[in-house]
Amino acid sequence: MSKINLLQAVNSALETAMREDEKCVCFGEDVGHFGGVFRATSHLQEKFGKDRVFNTPLVEQGILGFANGMAANGFKAVAEIQFADYIFPAFDQIVNETAKFRYRSGNEFNVGGLTVRTPYGGGIHGGHYHSQSPEAYFAHTPGLKVVVPRNPHQAKGLLLASIREDNPVIFFEPKRLYRASVGEVPEEDYEIPLGVAEVVEEGTDITLLAWGAQMEIITEAAKLAQEEGISCEVVDLRTIVPWDVETIVNSVKKTGRLIISHEATLTNGFGAEVAATVQEQAFLHLESPILRVCGMDVPYPLSHEAEYIPDASKVFEAIKHSMNY
Amino acid sequence: MSKTIHKPTFISGDALEIPIFKVLKQDGTLYPKAVEPEMSKEFALKIYRDLAFIRVFDERMVSAQRQGRISFYMPCLGEEAASIGSAAALEAKDMVFAQYREQGTLRYRGFSTEQFMDQCFSNERDLGKGRQMPIHYGSNELNYMTISSPLGTQIPQASGYAYSQKLEGNKACTICYFGEGAASEGDFHAGLNMAAVLKCPTIFFCRNNGYAISTPASEQYIGDGIASRGVGYGIKTIRIDGNDLLAVYEATRVAREYAIEHNAPVLIEAMSYRLGAHSTSDDPTGYRSKEEEAKWATKDPVLRYKHWLTKKGWWDDEQENALYAEYREEILAQMKEAEKRPVNKIDDIITDVFDEPSAILESQLADLKSHIRKYPSAYPKTSGRLDS
């Protein structure tokens, strides 16, 4: 065990995966000798050579097309998109190709070895194009798994599971926490299973659900609520698709209340899917309406970032509203 | 390193004159300076049988669609030499990424009449489990990547696949087919530039047949075809007569040698003409003349190759008639067999989305099955065999 930050945890996962399998390759814009604009791929080219860790031309649709091709030949292609905001040029390759590869071919071919890593989320004065949280776009596409870690320990374990998983995974890394989140991470190999949510703090009065960097916010809100005598159950979804319906529904059946919080915009955000499912499966247990504390339905603003984000005070306010309903 | 000039001097967009490689004349004789590629009689006749098969198959399947027996079809009339001639120059270990008008390549590799038919009829024997529209073939065994409808997407994929073949070091390459219309997609740019920069043994094979549905090539680009772009990406490039099977074969053979030896891509632009409709959903009389079609019909690639075989004494009318009769009979018999076969069981609606169905998918399937049990007459293809 040693204390490392989230970037170092990603780097450690990549090194572990590349060491065990020579068909594991990393590529994208600036990931080669330079080691990535956030340094997630630092020193990997020195360790594994230019054939396995390399820069690509600046073309996101090409990076995903190339990754699909390599994965179709049984390689573990770990592609980096520099910012999640720039994944959209590759949307066609991901949605029409990656996601449907196995299904459309009757499993003659698949791209199960593909993992797309991409920094997502706000809180860094990134404006429109260095702040977005596009997970809901991908959650609407059958065939993709979507994963978001909340700290270094999660990042390494979930990324290793994602790379080894025989399905394509989009792995969103909370860039606000790249250096800010530091924690104990085992040096050895370990995995955290996909599709399983984690109850981070047990509580009895209300369930708070989030993922990625937003976990820090709802944990802070839970502390504020605690001071008012409200016991919050704090849950990290971790995998957006396929999501752990059972854990969430069981938590809500126990507490009778649910707040979902995400940085992404409210309308059609993944919170809507969770809310609809929970009201279907736990209708008789709900004591107040399910609330969503999310980004506003606007492009991510620069000067009003503090006002836009669903911060702890907004979540705290929603907790009180739910409790007093 | 660029030379320096001191006056603004622009290079013309048509400065590069790309010639067209031809070997065979329409009467089956060689151009005076052309060299006949080395081909055994057996090999040359194997190619001809596949040309003839595709011709008969296309004709029968277009009719089948007209009769409402299948939902959709796309012929490759006039372009048979491009796909079959290039396929003949490859090895079985080479990977094929096709667009959709390359059934000839798949036939050359050994896809059976039964397999073609099962895919077009979406029955339970289809390798693709009946999920995609007709002509979206694929075969892992034959290294023929399953076709998808979105145009150009296979181009950067072919670059990536070839890169992985280079890392494997087994001296194989990837061929990637696409039309001149698809070459306008961003993925064309992405795929060719990546293959050049990352040194991928990929043969990019453009079928320039003059039309993308109703759009003539003159509304697709203004430069010197697709070939001129290859040079801009630093890719070895050749333009060939796509109706000349010997030229297609020879150019692809040399391209393969180069791609594997140098770990570098090659671009082949095969000039041809789409003699048939774009698909069974298209009627070309709305956008081109009968005269134009008639002119190209005189350049028939199958006939040209047959003339060559005949002049060599390897083929005659008796063999010709027997072969066509054999294919007509076989195709008809297989069609009757394929259309009687049922579709896949309903369980396959959720398999292969992931490697294993998720809990959510299992629950949706269970709901669907209980609904079908309640309303069996609304789902005649599946209601009788839910539990078999």
Side-chain angles (χ1 to χ4, degrees):
Chain A
M1 283 287 211
S2 59
K3 280 206 159 187
I4 58 174
N5 66 31
L6 203 150
L7 271 174
Q8 292 164 319
V10 167
N11 187 264
S12 169
L14 293 174
E15 183 173 343
T16 305
M18 294 195 76
R19 211 171 278 296
E20 79 172 352
D21 186 352
E22 62 176 23
K23 285 193 162 185
C24 183
V25 291
C26 290
F27 53 92
E29 293 158 12
D30 306 297
V31 308
H33 175 68
F34 181 61
V37 294
F38 290 104
R39 317 314 304 275
T41 53
S42 278
H43 304 298
L44 293 180
Q45 191 179 73
E46 287 164 43
K47 289 168 184 159
F48 300 104
K50 286 182 180 174
D51 280 350
R52 290 180 60 197
V53 182
F54 53 93
N55 287 341
T56 65
L58 202 168
V59 56
E60 288 78 12
Q61 66 193 91
I63 293 170
L64 257 297
F66 201 86
N68 278 330
M70 290 199 80
N73 193 25
F75 277 65
K76 290 200 173 90
V78 185
E80 178 178 307
I81 296 295
Q82 202 159 75
F83 287 85
D85 312 69
Y86 305 127
I87 203 165
F88 299 110
F91 202 62
D92 183 44
Q93 280 288 346
I94 296 173
V95 169
N96 276 330
E97 299 290 318
T98 306
K100 297 168 177 57
F101 224 95
R102 192 192 298 270
Y103 193 74
R104 75 185 182 199
S105 71
N107 206 18
E108 286 288 292
F109 298 97
N110 74 80
V111 292
L114 172 63
T115 306
V116 186
R117 294 179 36 247
T118 187
Y120 89 97
I124 60 147
H125 313 295
H128 296 344
Y129 306 112
H130 300 83
S131 306
Q132 293 179 59
S133 299
E135 67 271 13
Y137 291 101
F138 299 100
H140 195 55
T141 301
L144 302 171
K145 294 199 173 181
V146 180
V147 177
V148 194
R150 73 171 185 278
N151 62 28
H153 181 264
Q154 302 272 310
K156 181 172 175 180
L158 287 169
L159 182 53
L160 275 169
S162 297
I163 293 170
R164 290 163 179 163
E165 161 88 23
D166 196 16
N167 291 293
V169 177
I170 304 184
F171 192 81
F172 288 106
E173 299 168 2
K175 63 178 163 309
R176 180 167 68 76
L177 303 183
Y178 263 158
R179 292 188 172 82
S181 179
V182 177
E184 297 280 345
V185 175
E187 276 154 43
E188 66 268 18
D189 194 341
Y190 67 96
E191 287 181 31
I192 296 174
L194 305 191
V196 182
E198 183 189 1
V199 178
V200 179
E201 284 175 28
E202 292 202 14
T204 51
D205 297 331
I206 186 166
T207 301
L208 307 185
L209 177 69
W211 48 88
Q214 196 62 14
M215 286 306 296
E216 199 181 44
I217 308 287
I218 64 166
T219 305
E220 194 186 329
K223 283 201 186 85
L224 295 173
Q226 185 73 49
E227 288 164 17
E228 308 247 326
I230 304 166
S231 164
C232 298
E233 179 139 304
V234 179
V235 186
D236 180 1
L237 192 58
R238 299 200 293 200
T239 300
I240 309 294
V241 182
W243 67 288
D244 185 352
V245 177
E246 196 183 350
T247 297
I248 312 309
V249 167
N250 286 342
S251 175
V252 175
K253 282 182 176 171
K254 181 176 76 175
T255 62
R257 292 181 165 85
L258 174 63
I259 289 172
I260 308 153
S261 184
H262 54 66
E263 262 181 55
T265 51
L266 175 80
T267 300
N268 268 357
F270 197 69
E273 179 61 33
V274 175
T277 305
V278 170
Q279 74 83 25
E280 246 178 57
Q281 300 198 13
F283 187 73
L284 294 175
H285 298 81
L286 284 169
E287 291 173 41
S288 70
I290 297 167
L291 298 178
R292 290 175 289 157
V293 185
C294 304
M296 292 168 69
D297 288 341
V298 299
Y300 200 105
L302 184 66
S303 60
H304 288 148
E305 181 169 53
E307 290 77 12
Y308 168 88
I309 55 173
D311 63 10
S313 69
K314 291 180 184 172
V315 178
F316 177 51
E317 201 50 31
I319 294 170
K320 287 192 290 185
H321 182 73
S322 181
M323 293 306 298
N324 296 326
Y325 186 80
Chain B
M1 285 293 284
S2 295
K3 286 180 195 162
T4 304
I5 55 172
H6 303 291
K7 282 182 183 169
T9 309
F10 296 91
I11 298 166
S12 163
D14 56 8
L16 191 65
E17 285 178 24
I18 300 176
I20 181 160
F21 172 54
K22 292 170 182 268
V23 176
L24 263 188
K25 294 195 224 169
Q26 190 61 32
D27 65 3
T29 60
L30 267 62
Y31 283 92
K33 289 181 182 168
V35 180
E36 189 172 286
E38 275 181 43
M39 279 189 186
S40 70
K41 178 181 172 185
E42 187 192 2
F43 181 70
L45 290 181
K46 146 81 176 150
I47 290 172
Y48 188 68
R49 280 196 298 274
D50 292 338
L51 290 166
F53 174 83
I54 290 298
R55 197 143 272 198
V56 180
F57 184 71
D58 271 1
E59 183 193 291
R60 291 289 137 144
M61 298 312 276
V62 168
S63 302
Q65 194 280 336
R66 293 281 176 255
Q67 295 161 6
R69 295 163 84 174
I70 56 172
S71 57
F72 180 75
Y73 193 73
M74 299 180 102
C76 66
L77 189 68
E79 297 182 68
E80 298 90 342
S83 55
I84 294 172
S86 53
L90 301 173
E91 291 191 17
K93 66 182 175 181
D94 297 333
M95 190 68 199
V96 178
F97 281 74
Q99 178 167 301
Y100 49 60
R101 219 181 289 284
E102 298 88 1
Q103 47 268 60
T105 304
L106 188 54
R107 179 64 179 187
Y108 185 87
R109 293 214 155 190
F111 210 57
S112 68
T113 310
E114 178 182 299
Q115 288 176 309
F116 274 108
M117 213 54 90
D118 291 336
Q119 200 284 330
C120 288
F121 279 89
S122 327
N123 68 28
E124 67 178 0
R125 219 167 38 185
D126 168 28
L127 293 176
K129 303 183 185 171
R131 290 171 180 150
Q132 288 213 83
M133 287 172 77
I135 66 94
H136 291 60
Y137 311 111
S139 167
N140 191 314
E141 188 193 349
L142 301 177
N143 280 333
Y144 192 94
M145 184 59 66
T146 301
I147 288 165
S148 71
S149 307
L151 287 182
T153 50
Q154 79 280 17
I155 303 174
Q157 291 171 10
S159 306
Y161 200 99
Y163 185 89
S164 71
Q165 288 172 312
K166 177 176 80 169
L167 295 194
E168 288 176 325
N170 70 350
K171 301 224 173 278
C173 71
T174 294
I175 192 165
C176 179
Y177 297 96
F178 51 89
E180 90 287 348
S184 294
E185 294 281 1
D187 273 338
F188 167 88
H189 161 68
L192 269 72
N193 192 40
M194 290 185 84
V197 172
L198 295 166
K199 299 182 169 44
C200 309
T202 322
I203 301 171
F204 296 106
F205 193 104
C206 178
R207 295 177 296 93
N208 189 338
N209 63 15
Y211 286 90
I213 309 187
S214 74
T215 304
S218 61
E219 293 173 27
Q220 200 65 245
Y221 54 75
I222 207 72
D224 184 13
I226 308 305
S228 62
R229 301 180 198 167
V231 179
Y233 289 115
I235 292 177
K236 282 261 190 199
T237 298
I238 188 171
R239 173 175 289 145
I240 63 175
D241 182 343
N243 286 18
D244 176 347
L245 192 132
L246 297 187
V248 174
Y249 171 78
E250 184 60 10
T252 312
R253 189 187 66 76
V254 176
R256 182 180 190 276
E257 269 180 17
Y258 181 84
I260 288 175
E261 188 182 338
H262 298 273
N263 281 320
V266 180
L267 172 62
I268 298 173
E269 182 183 24
M271 309 308 288
S272 185
Y273 187 82
R274 199 196 72 214
L275 266 180
H278 164 68
S279 73
T280 48
S281 309
D282 170 55
D283 175 10
T285 60
Y287 52 83
R288 69 186 190 190
S289 67
K290 286 278 168 216
E291 292 72 38
E292 183 185 288
E293 289 177 5
K295 189 190 91 180
W296 277 93
T298 65
K299 301 181 181 183
D300 185 340
V302 177
L303 201 58
R304 190 185 306 183
Y305 185 70
K306 186 183 131 192
H307 286 324
W308 178 69
L309 290 178
T310 307
K311 284 193 164 39
K312 292 181 83 76
W314 290 352
W315 197 248
D316 60 34
D317 284 347
E318 198 181 324
Q319 289 168 296
E320 172 89 354
N321 294 336
L323 183 67
Y324 273 75
E326 178 197 323
Y327 282 148
R328 285 192 185 109
E329 192 178 330
E330 185 196 342
I331 287 168
L332 190 64
Q334 293 289 352
M335 189 183 298
K336 285 179 177 164
E337 158 72 14
E339 70 186 338
K340 275 188 300 200
R341 298 191 82 84
V343 300
N344 276 41
K345 288 204 290 181
I346 192 63
D347 300 68
D348 271 331
I349 202 170
I350 65 160
T351 58
D352 306 327
V353 176
F354 298 108
D355 59 341
E356 299 288 342
S358 62
I360 290 171
L361 285 177
E362 294 283 13
S363 133
Q364 290 177 1
L365 177 64
D367 287 350
L368 175 61
K369 282 182 162 180
S370 60
H371 180 77
I372 294 173
R373 280 193 188 93
K374 207 167 171 188
Y375 297 91
S377 63
Y379 309 97
K381 284 184 179 178
T382 47
S383 53
R385 41 206 287 270
L386 282 181
D387 303 303
S388 58

